[in-house]
Amino acid sequence: AQSVTQPDIHITVSEGASLELRCNYSYGATPYLFWYVQSPGQGLQLLLKYFSGDTLVQGIKGFEAEFKRSQSSFNLRKPSVHWSDAAEYFCAVAVGGTSYGKLTFGQGTILTVHP
Amino acid sequence: NAGVMQNPRHLVRRRGQEARLRCSPMKGHSHVYWYRQLPEEGLKFMVYLQKENIIDESGMPKERFSAEFPKEGPSILRIQQVVRGDSAAYFCASSPPSQNNEQFFGPGTRLTVL
C-alpha cells in the first residue's frame, strides 16, 4: 500500500523568505501526486498536481513542486512567502488510472510566517 | 458553479445518538469520497461512492458507519451510536467521471461527541 511522509510537522519562516516543504512517498509505480493547503477551519484547496510529463509543476499562489523519481519525493517550494501563506499543507498520492481516485495523505506540515 | 457543499458545518451529538452528514458534490460530478481528519492528524480515506454504488469502503470502520449516494440527492455519511472517538472533521470530496484523481473538497463537518 502506498504511504506519504511529510517529515516536518511545523515550519516557521519569515515573510519574504523562501520555502520548501518536503514530501516523500512510497509506491511501486509513479503515483499521481498532489499538494493541498488547508486554512484553519476550512476545507482543502488544491495547489498543484503531477500526473506525468514535466517534473516541475507550477501551481496557484506562486507555488511549484518538483517530482524526483530517484528520491521518491515531491517537494513544494515558493521563492517568497507571504503572511497569507500561513496554513497547513498536505501532500497526497493517488493510485493511477482513470477509474480510481483514493487519496492517501501525509500528516501535514503547519507553516507559520513571521512578519 | 457552486463548490462541494457539506452540512451541517458543525454537529454536536451525545454518546449513543446518530450523526448524519450530508455532501452535495459539484455539478456534473458523479464520484464522491469521504475522509476523516482526527485532531493533529492528516486526512484518512473512508469510502468512495458513485451514484447508487459503493466502490471502495476499505477505510470505513466495520461497525456503526455507513454511506450512501442515492440517484437523487446528496451523499450521506451516517454514524450510529456515536462515541467520543468519532469526534473529528469529516470531509467530502467530489470529482467528475473523467478525472477521478482530481478531487474538490468541501468545507467539512466538524462532529463533536459529548
Side-chain angles (χ1 to χ4, degrees):
Chain A
Q2 65 267 29
S3 65
V4 180
T5 302
Q6 293 180 244
D8 304 304
I9 296 173
H10 198 163
I11 283 184
T12 300
V13 299
S14 298
E15 191 169 15
S18 63
L19 172 71
E20 183 170 30
L21 302 182
R22 296 183 291 165
C23 172
N24 293 96
Y25 67 89
S26 172
Y27 184 58
T30 300
Y32 293 178
L33 297 157
F34 306 82
W35 275 100
Y36 285 87
V37 60
Q38 183 181 31
S39 297
Q42 302 298 313
L44 278 72
Q45 181 181 22
L46 180 66
L47 287 175
L48 47 78
K49 61 184 185 285
Y50 173 79
F51 286 178
S52 65
D54 192 346
T55 57
L56 185 62
V57 180
Q58 301 298 320
I60 63 171
K61 304 184 179 186
F63 285 93
E64 66 177 26
E66 186 171 12
F67 169 60
K68 292 186 177 180
R69 184 191 306 274
S70 61
Q71 298 176 19
S72 297
S73 69
F74 188 57
N75 294 349
L76 181 72
R77 300 194 295 249
K78 186 169 184 177
S80 178
V81 170
H82 188 262
W83 64 267
S84 60
D85 293 325
E88 188 161 17
Y89 292 79
F90 292 96
C91 180
V93 303
V95 174
T98 58
S99 61
Y100 192 63
K102 168 183 171 181
L103 291 176
T104 299
F105 285 86
Q107 288 194 299
T109 298
I110 298 172
L111 174 64
T112 299
V113 180
H114 281 318
Chain B
N1 188 6
V4 178
M5 300 176 68
Q6 291 187 249
N7 68 80
R9 293 291 306 276
H10 299 273
L11 182 62
V12 179
R13 286 288 179 264
R14 297 190 180 279
R15 282 179 295 169
Q17 292 183 319
E18 178 180 287
R20 280 182 178 247
L21 288 63
R22 294 174 183 77
C23 169
S24 296
M26 289 178 67
K27 187 176 182 180
H29 288 195
S30 57
H31 300 251
V32 165
Y33 313 81
W34 285 93
Y35 295 84
R36 177 166 65 174
Q37 185 178 32
L38 294 169
E40 310 297 326
E41 294 187 16
L43 282 76
K44 297 286 194 293
F45 169 81
M46 298 182 75
V47 62
Y48 163 37
L49 310 104
Q50 297 178 17
K51 287 281 187 180
E52 299 184 279
N53 283 304
I54 296 175
I55 307 302
D56 182 352
E57 56 182 347
S58 60
M60 288 277 272
K62 299 300 180 192
E63 298 177 347
R64 302 188 296 107
F65 285 71
S66 62
E68 63 176 9
F69 188 17
K71 186 176 180 180
E72 301 291 337
S75 175
I76 306 287
L77 179 67
R78 182 182 178 203
I79 311 172
Q80 295 178 290
Q81 299 176 333
V82 296
V83 301
R84 289 214 173 109
D86 296 332
S87 295
Y90 292 83
F91 290 94
C92 167
S94 71
S95 68
S98 60
Q99 298 182 45
N100 282 18
N101 287 302
E102 182 166 356
Q103 297 175 23
F104 297 83
F105 282 79
T109 294
R110 280 152 183 82
L111 172 66
T112 300
V113 179
L114 301 178

